[in-house]
Amino acid sequence: MLSLDAVRRCVLKTIDEDIRSLQFRNVYLLYGSENYLKQQYKQKLKQALIPPDDTINFSRFEGQHADVQAMIDLAETLPFFADYRLILVEDSGFFKNGCEALSNYLPHLPSTTVLVFTESEI
């Protein structure tokens, strides 16, 4: 059985490989008490997916009152002169408290949208 640290290392290695190959998954969940690692990998994904001056294809939501319908609407919008649209969701509580609308939507997420969740607790 793998330890929690071994699982985390494996996940971080997978993210590094995704960035290197430019083959991204639709959803990433960065969680735990290691804020430095969460911030580091959030920035790595953002830099790999969105050019620094691109504000059109990047959206950020924060907190427990994040508008789920607005996230879904953005996710359905094709990226503008880019390969991907990045939606960053921070400390939403969705993975701790549940969010039925989002969990029902995730299987239908377009391949051009990447959702990155950074959570303290799940």
Side-chain angles (χ1 to χ4, degrees):
M1 182 170 190
L2 291 174
S3 71
L4 185 56
D5 286 335
V7 170
R8 283 187 183 144
R9 281 192 303 274
C10 183
V11 169
L12 297 179
K13 183 179 176 184
T14 299
I15 293 172
D16 285 334
E17 289 172 3
D18 291 354
I19 291 169
R20 219 176 353 268
S21 69
L22 298 176
Q23 298 294 314
F24 299 99
R25 297 163 202 284
N26 285 104
V27 179
Y28 292 92
L29 172 60
L30 308 172
Y31 70 94
S33 60
E34 298 168 354
N35 288 329
Y36 173 76
L37 283 176
K38 287 190 300 188
Q39 295 302 316
Q40 180 184 18
Y41 276 87
K42 174 182 75 172
Q43 288 304 319
K44 281 184 173 188
L45 284 165
K46 184 178 177 186
Q47 289 170 355
L49 287 160
I50 304 294
D53 57 344
D54 186 348
T55 57
I56 294 173
N57 297 305
F58 173 72
S59 301
R60 182 177 175 268
F61 293 85
E62 184 176 5
Q64 303 231 349
H65 301 291
D67 186 345
V68 175
Q69 190 56 52
M71 280 182 231
I72 292 171
D73 291 343
L74 278 169
E76 285 294 310
T77 305
L78 289 173
F80 189 70
F81 291 113
D83 294 329
Y84 295 100
R85 171 172 300 284
L86 173 61
I87 301 173
L88 174 63
V89 184
E90 298 184 275
D91 293 316
S92 66
F94 293 154
F95 292 88
K96 184 177 179 186
N97 304 321
C99 180
E100 188 174 337
L102 189 59
S103 64
N104 290 337
Y105 174 72
L106 288 179
H108 308 287
L109 195 63
S111 61
T112 56
T113 299
V114 176
L115 282 170
V116 176
F117 293 92
T118 60
E119 302 287 334
S120 298
E121 297 178 294
I122 59 168

